[in-house]
Amino acid sequence: MPLGALLFGIFIVIPLIEVALFVQAGRLFGLWPTLAACVISALVGSAIIKRQGTDLATRARQRLQAGVAPLREGFDGLCLVAAGFLMITPGFFTDLLGGLLLIPPARRWLYERVQRHVRVEGLEPGAGPGARPGGGQAPPDVIDAEYDVLDDDGQPMPPPRGRWDGDRQD
């Protein structure tokens, strides 16, 4: 989809749909019930997002501990962020789209569609903590350490100021 068409849809078509739905809902239910429905949908959506986000973080942590890249959980997290944005945006159409992203089977369907067009490189099955891009584990002789840079007298040097190219400038 060309960028121009996407922007046209986001900034012209969606607001027009929202206005039309607001007018119809206002005629059918009245002003205050229509406004209350918008506020209630934002509050309910926020509660659902909080609950699903907590569960999602737990699942992602478990997959990482098992040494498996949490790709699906990352996608679900992006969907929850998008759902949150859509749910707090006033309007019935955006609430509908956000609500669809809150339904796990809908996210699974969307994930399968996106997965056909996206390829993740550098991750192999079982790639987890300590894994290197392209696969494999870090060599066992690598030691993670902290160090201090000392001057010629053995005193700690202050952090560099300005441009630092690795050579000490006196």
Side-chain angles (χ1 to χ4, degrees):
M1 173 182 290
L3 181 60
L6 179 66
L7 293 175
F8 181 78
I10 290 172
F11 292 112
I12 304 296
V13 175
I14 290 177
L16 287 175
I17 292 171
E18 293 291 11
V19 169
L21 289 173
F22 267 120
V23 169
Q24 293 300 318
R27 279 189 193 152
L28 191 61
F29 304 113
L31 173 65
W32 294 111
T34 300
L35 294 177
C38 283
V39 171
I40 290 169
S41 69
L43 294 175
V44 169
S46 298
I48 294 171
I49 289 167
K50 181 178 180 182
R51 169 64 187 213
Q52 288 190 10
T54 303
D55 294 344
L56 181 63
T58 302
R59 283 196 328 264
R61 189 175 319 118
Q62 290 170 346
R63 289 186 57 94
L64 280 172
Q65 289 173 345
V68 179
L71 297 177
R72 174 66 194 273
E73 288 77 9
F75 180 82
D76 283 352
L78 288 174
C79 287
L80 289 180
V81 168
F85 178 75
L86 291 167
M87 295 294 287
I88 63 171
T89 302
F92 297 114
F93 184 67
T94 53
D95 286 350
L96 174 67
L97 294 177
L100 288 173
L101 290 175
L102 294 178
I103 301 170
R107 287 197 309 260
R108 185 174 29 257
W109 178 86
L110 186 60
Y111 179 76
E112 290 167 0
R113 298 311 168 278
V114 169
Q115 191 178 24
R116 294 178 189 169
H117 303 286
V118 175
R119 185 177 72 176
V120 177
E121 293 184 16
L123 294 176
E124 295 180 3
R132 306 173 115 190
Q137 296 290 320
D141 58 348
V142 173
I143 300 172
D144 186 17
E146 294 182 20
Y147 64 92
D148 292 319
V149 178
L150 305 176
D151 65 10
D152 295 334
D153 298 327
Q155 300 298 317
M157 291 179 58
R161 294 184 184 162
R163 184 169 168 255
W164 177 258
D165 61 5
D167 294 328
R168 183 170 175 204
Q169 300 171 356
D170 291 337

